[in-house]
């Protein structure tokens, strides 16, 4: 019996140890689960705070130009003693505020597309040097208004690589617009590019007010602005958007700056020379126009058979915004026959009945959006 008692006691001891170990594991499991819940709640709280800050800032950014536009428009409608010069200044201000809103919306849409991985990057292959020169030439006009100059240098006469033209254009425009804005008159803004092993390096250096070490840490955060008192300090989106574009090309952006000693923004992109889907060799001889939009228009050749009398040309305008309809009709109806519908479903029905020469459609509309409408038009044997 004594041996059996020892065996029973050992068995109970082992069972107790196993139970204690299991309890410890359960306690640790619940402890770490509790920590994870706290961490997730903290992240959720931070996300809610960031969203609140985002919507507060974006609301402010829209409210300011809208207030200006509505106020000036009211003045134009009610004031009888405005001179032609004053009226023009009001209309110029309205246009500037509208352009600012359009730029803000475009940047936000582009950022959302990149975040959602829906923005198919259109890589092109060619000599990037003349393309950058063309973009810089288009921005130099604004620098000259402040009596500033922009210089461009490269350590290679030709750099053939894969690049995304739209991204590089936006990156340069944002960096140069900041350099122009925060640099004094008669200053020089230097843009330089170089090849360093397998990396393409773009630098934009200014002689501006500089940025403190404290502000540099948050400089690329969305809606972060160095100077809150500066009335011309922008939206706080440009540098965050620039960083997003750089990272979309697997690159990196950093800044070196001292207060009252200027800033240097450095963009590093890894060289890629594999054949992209779309190959375009940039030709310097065709990039001498400072205005990219006018440059594109120069290559549009109107068919000779179209006479100046376009009264028989039918245009179907599908748009649900009354102001946009008013604006487009004012430009078109004196030369063309214009029919307006407010959504894609009605527009498609009218298109089948009238067979228009041109269809101008919005993208976001009730019942059927513009993308679905385009697909239906392409699938229609009558309209395609």
């Amino acid at each position: 019996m004594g041996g059996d008692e020892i065996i029973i006691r050992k068995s109970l001891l082992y069972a107790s140890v196993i139970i204690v170990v299991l309890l410890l594991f359960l306690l640790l499991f619940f402890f770490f689960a509790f920590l994870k819940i706290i961490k997730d709640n903290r992240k959720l709280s931070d996300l809610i705070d960031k969203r609140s800050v985002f919507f507060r800032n974006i609301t402010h950014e829209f409210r300011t130009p809208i207030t200006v536009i509505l106020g000036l428009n009211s003045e134009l409608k009610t004031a009888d003693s405005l001179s032609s010069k004053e009226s023009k200044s009001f209309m110029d201000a309205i246009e500037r505020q509208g352009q600012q809103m359009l730029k803000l919306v475009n940047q936000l849409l582009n950022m959302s597309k990149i975040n959602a991985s829906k923005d198919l990057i259109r890589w092109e292959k060619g000599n990037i040097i003349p393309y950058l020169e063309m973009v810089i030439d288009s921005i130099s006009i604004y620098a000259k208004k402040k009596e500033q100059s922009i210089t461009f240098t490269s350590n290679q006469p030709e750099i053939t690589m894969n690049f995304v033209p739209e991204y590089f254009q936006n990156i340069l425009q944002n960096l140069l617009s900041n350099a122009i804005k925060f640099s004094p008159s008669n200053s020089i803004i230097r843009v330089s590019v170089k090849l360093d092993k397998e990396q393409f390096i773009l630098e934009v250096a200014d002689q501006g007010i500089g940025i403190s070490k404290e502000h540099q840490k948050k400089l690329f955060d969305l809606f972060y602005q160095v100077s809150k008192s500066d009335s011309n300090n922008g939206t706080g989106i440009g540098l965050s958007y620039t960083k997003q574009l750089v990272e979309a090309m697997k690159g990196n952006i950093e800044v070196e700056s001292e207060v009252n000693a200027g800033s240097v923004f450095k963009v590093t992109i890894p060289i890629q020379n594999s054949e992209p889907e779309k190959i375009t060799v940039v030709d310097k001889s065709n990039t001498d126009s400072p205005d990219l939009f006018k440059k594109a228009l120069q290559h549009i050749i109107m068919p000779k058979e179209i006479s100046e009398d376009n009264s028989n040309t039918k245009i179907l305008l599908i748009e649900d915004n009354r102001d946009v309809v008013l604006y487009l009709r004012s430009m078109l109806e004196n030369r063309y026959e214009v029919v307006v519908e407010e959504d894609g479903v009605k527009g498609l029905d009218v298109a089948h009945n009238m067979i228009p020469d041109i269809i101008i459609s919005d993208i976001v509309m009730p019942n059927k959006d513009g993308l679905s409408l385009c697909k239906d038009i392409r699938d229609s044997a009558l309209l395609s």
Side-chain angles (χ1 to χ4, degrees):
M1 292 295 291
D4 292 339
E5 288 181 359
I6 293 174
I7 293 173
I8 292 172
R9 288 178 180 177
K10 286 183 178 181
S11 299
L12 291 173
L13 179 63
Y14 291 150
S16 299
V17 171
I18 292 173
I19 292 172
V20 170
V21 171
L22 288 175
L23 288 173
L24 286 175
F25 273 116
L26 285 173
L27 286 173
L28 288 173
F29 173 78
F30 285 114
F31 176 73
F32 285 113
F34 180 70
L35 288 180
K36 186 177 184 301
I37 291 173
I38 293 176
K39 187 177 180 180
D40 290 343
N41 287 337
R42 192 171 297 165
K43 285 183 178 179
L44 181 61
S45 178
D46 291 341
L47 179 61
I48 293 173
D49 290 341
K50 287 181 179 179
R51 284 182 176 177
S52 298
V53 172
F54 173 83
F55 284 113
R56 183 175 68 246
N57 286 327
I58 195 67
T59 301
H60 174 75
E61 296 300 338
F62 279 116
R63 183 179 61 183
T64 300
I66 288 174
T67 302
V68 173
I69 290 171
L70 292 177
L72 293 178
N73 183 65
S74 177
E75 286 291 324
L76 286 171
K77 288 196 301 183
T78 58
D80 298 327
S81 59
L82 286 177
S83 65
S84 59
K85 184 177 181 180
E86 289 174 328
S87 298
K88 185 179 183 303
S89 66
F90 279 21
M91 288 186 285
D92 289 342
I94 290 174
E95 182 179 3
R96 285 193 302 271
Q97 294 298 322
Q99 291 290 348
Q100 179 67 17
M101 289 182 62
L102 181 61
K103 179 182 177 182
L104 176 62
V105 170
N106 286 337
Q107 288 183 338
L108 289 172
L109 287 174
N110 290 336
M111 291 177 74
S112 66
K113 285 193 294 183
I114 296 173
N115 282 332
S117 300
K118 293 180 181 179
D119 188 24
L120 299 177
I121 300 181
R122 294 179 291 275
W123 291 91
E124 300 191 10
K125 186 173 184 179
N127 181 11
I128 195 173
I129 299 299
Y131 181 80
L132 295 179
E133 288 177 338
M134 178 185 65
V135 176
I136 292 170
D137 285 344
S138 67
I139 303 173
S140 295
I141 300 173
Y142 303 102
K144 290 177 182 178
K145 292 181 179 179
K146 287 190 63 175
E147 299 180 352
Q148 299 168 341
S149 60
I150 302 177
T151 65
F152 177 74
T153 57
S154 172
N155 71 339
Q156 302 285 338
E158 180 177 328
I159 300 178
T160 300
M161 59 181 282
N162 291 345
F163 64 99
V164 185
E166 180 184 358
Y167 285 10
F168 267 99
Q169 179 182 345
N170 289 330
I171 290 168
L172 259 181
Q173 285 178 341
N174 282 322
L175 294 180
L176 286 176
S177 63
N178 282 340
I180 293 170
K181 185 185 303 179
F182 295 111
S183 296
S185 299
N186 300 315
S187 61
I188 301 175
I189 300 167
R190 293 179 172 85
V191 181
S192 62
V193 297
K194 63 180 179 180
L195 283 179
D196 185 9
K197 297 180 181 179
E198 295 300 318
Q199 293 182 326
F200 173 81
I201 299 175
L202 165 70
E203 291 187 352
V204 176
D206 63 51
Q207 298 173 323
I209 59 178
I211 307 165
S212 67
K213 298 294 183 182
E214 177 187 357
H215 289 304
Q216 290 178 32
K217 297 176 182 179
K218 300 180 180 180
L219 192 61
F220 297 101
D221 291 350
L222 188 62
F223 285 114
Y224 184 77
Q225 299 177 21
V226 173
S227 175
K228 298 294 182 183
S229 60
D230 187 357
S231 61
N232 193 31
N233 57 350
T235 62
I237 289 180
L239 287 178
S240 178
Y241 178 47
T242 299
K243 181 182 180 183
Q244 196 174 34
L245 294 176
V246 172
E247 291 178 346
M249 295 187 289
K250 311 299 181 183
N252 179 57
I253 183 171
E254 54 189 3
V255 60
E256 295 179 4
S257 182
E258 293 182 12
V259 177
N260 299 322
S263 305
V264 179
F265 286 85
K266 181 179 179 181
V267 175
T268 304
I269 306 290
I271 294 290
Q272 302 180 45
N273 280 315
S274 59
E275 294 298 320
E277 293 184 6
K278 180 181 178 183
I279 307 296
T280 301
V281 178
V282 180
D283 186 0
K284 169 71 174 178
S285 62
N286 290 328
T287 58
D288 52 355
S289 173
D291 189 323
L292 300 181
F293 184 67
K294 291 180 180 178
K295 167 88 178 92
L297 291 179
Q298 291 173 0
H299 291 276
I300 298 176
I301 302 175
M302 298 300 293
K304 294 181 179 179
E305 63 268 22
I306 297 180
S307 64
E308 292 187 3
D309 181 14
N310 299 312
S311 57
N312 293 325
T313 301
K314 299 177 181 179
I315 296 180
L316 173 59
L317 174 59
I318 309 172
E319 172 62 66
D320 61 330
N321 187 299
R322 293 183 179 181
D323 287 337
V324 175
V325 171
L326 177 66
Y327 174 57
L328 292 177
R329 290 191 72 162
S330 67
M331 293 190 298
L332 298 172
E333 63 183 358
N334 62 333
R335 294 187 61 189
Y336 308 98
E337 180 184 345
V338 181
V339 177
V340 179
E341 286 298 339
E342 62 183 12
D343 67 64
V345 173
K346 295 178 181 178
L348 187 61
D349 291 337
V350 172
H352 278 102
N353 292 327
M354 69 177 286
I355 315 297
D357 299 285
I358 301 172
I359 299 176
I360 302 174
S361 173
D362 190 11
I363 293 180
V364 181
M365 297 182 296
N367 300 326
K368 184 187 289 291
D369 61 38
L371 299 178
S372 300
L373 175 66
C374 287
K375 183 179 184 300
D376 291 341
I377 290 172
R378 286 194 299 268
D379 293 339
S380 169
L382 185 63
L383 296 176
S384 67

